[in-house]
Structure formats: C-alpha cells, structure tokens
Amino acid sequence: MIENLIGETHRPGRIEVVCGSMFSGKTEELIRRLKRAKIARQQVMIFKPAIDTRYSEEKVVSHDHNCIDSTPVKDTQTILKGAQGHGYDVIGIDEAQFFDDSLVDVCNRLAYNGMRVIVAGLDMDYLGQPFGPMPKLLAIADEVTKVHAICVKCGSLAYASHRLVKSHAQVMLGEKDEYEPLCRECFKKALEEDQRNARSKNLFEE
Ligand code: ZN
C-alpha cells in the first residue's frame, strides 16, 4: 500500500510510523522509503534529534552504514519551521523517541499541510516501557510498521532491546555492544536476572 503512493500526482498528507527494537532495521526502512521518494523526484527533508551524534552529525546512518543526508535539530519547533514553506513532499524523522510529545502536533500539522511524514523510532525503552512520544505517534499514524530484530538467545523474532551495561538513564545511545535484541520470553528472563543481580549486589554492599 505504501509502495503504491510513490508517483501519485496527488498525494494526500499522511503519517507513517516505523517502529521496533534496536537492530530491527527501522532506520534502514526509513532510508529505503526516502530514497524511493527521491527516485520519484519528490522533495525530501530529513530531521533527527541533535542528541544522536553516534555516527555522523549530518547524516541519518543505520547500523549497517547505509546513510542519507539529514539535519540535526534540538526541538520539534525547528522541524516545523524547517519543513514548512519549502516545497517538500516528504519529511523523514529518525530517532523520534528522543523528541518530546509536541512531535505529535508537529507531525499532524505537516500531514494536514499535505506532506507525507515518515517517522522512525524505538517503540520501547530498555525496560520495555513505551518510549517518549512514540505511543502517541503510533495512535495518530495512518500506517504503522513494526519491524523486528532476531533474538540473540533463541532465534525468535525480537521484542525489546535489553541493556547490557548498568545505567538507569532512559536515554543512552545504542551501540551493538551495549544492547541485545531479545524475544518477549528471553527479555523477561533477562530483566529478572538483572533484578536478582542488583539485589544481591545491594546485599553485598550493605
Ligand atoms: Zn528469545
């Protein structure tokens, strides 16, 4: 259905959300859709949070180093200003979980102005809780795609990203050695194991 939109002369505004765990290929899917829009000679603009400087300041780069030019922005108002009035057909937003809830209103406004908005982000944080504005974006989206990594423990489809290093910060930028994709069952076991370890460590320290 998404594929059919490419090349339409009259494109109604719409919001597509691509979500999933770490290593699920959501940025690859975002890049794929944006590249196809470019091939169809549509004007494309891509934003990402300025916080995400893992690989490159100016590019959206996936873990497999596929990349596309992007603009790092500090907040959603900058997206709104940068996206409107420049004749863009398609707006891509990567790592959407790092923006605040005002992204919901910004995406709606762009879509009502006739733009195709494609948002990619982590649906859940390292504890399996809905991440930032993602649950609201999923609610207002015209179309939702949930992509899956593979569980590194058992080979099933992964459900969430388990953090391997001990930090309680919700925002911690991911590298391959800091997170592992796990299925629901293995994720549950891993969280229980983490809790046991934390308890025994506390007992030891008291
Ligand atoms: Zn598993």
Side-chain angles (χ1 to χ4, degrees), residues 151-157 181-187:
C151 175
V152 294
K153 296 252 199 267
C154 76
S156 307
L157 285 183
L182 296 177
C183 71
R184 185 185 279 277
E185 203 179 337
C186 295
F187 183 62

Side-chain angles (χ1 to χ4, degrees), residues 42 71 101 123 159 188:
Q42 296 175 352
T71 302
D101 278 1
D123 45 9
Y159 167 75
K188 179 171 173 276

Side-chain angles (χ1 to χ4, degrees), residues 157-175:
L157 285 183
Y159 167 75
S161 321
H162 175 236
R163 184 178 287 174
L164 295 165
V165 292
K166 286 174 192 62
S167 161
H168 296 295
Q170 190 189 32
V171 174
M172 209 181 81
L173 299 174
E175 285 285 5

Side-chain angles (χ1 to χ4, degrees), residues 3-16:
E3 315 280 41
N4 292 340
L5 285 168
I6 304 288
E8 278 183 17
T9 47
H10 176 70
R11 291 176 304 278
R14 55 187 275 111
I15 299 170
E16 297 161 25

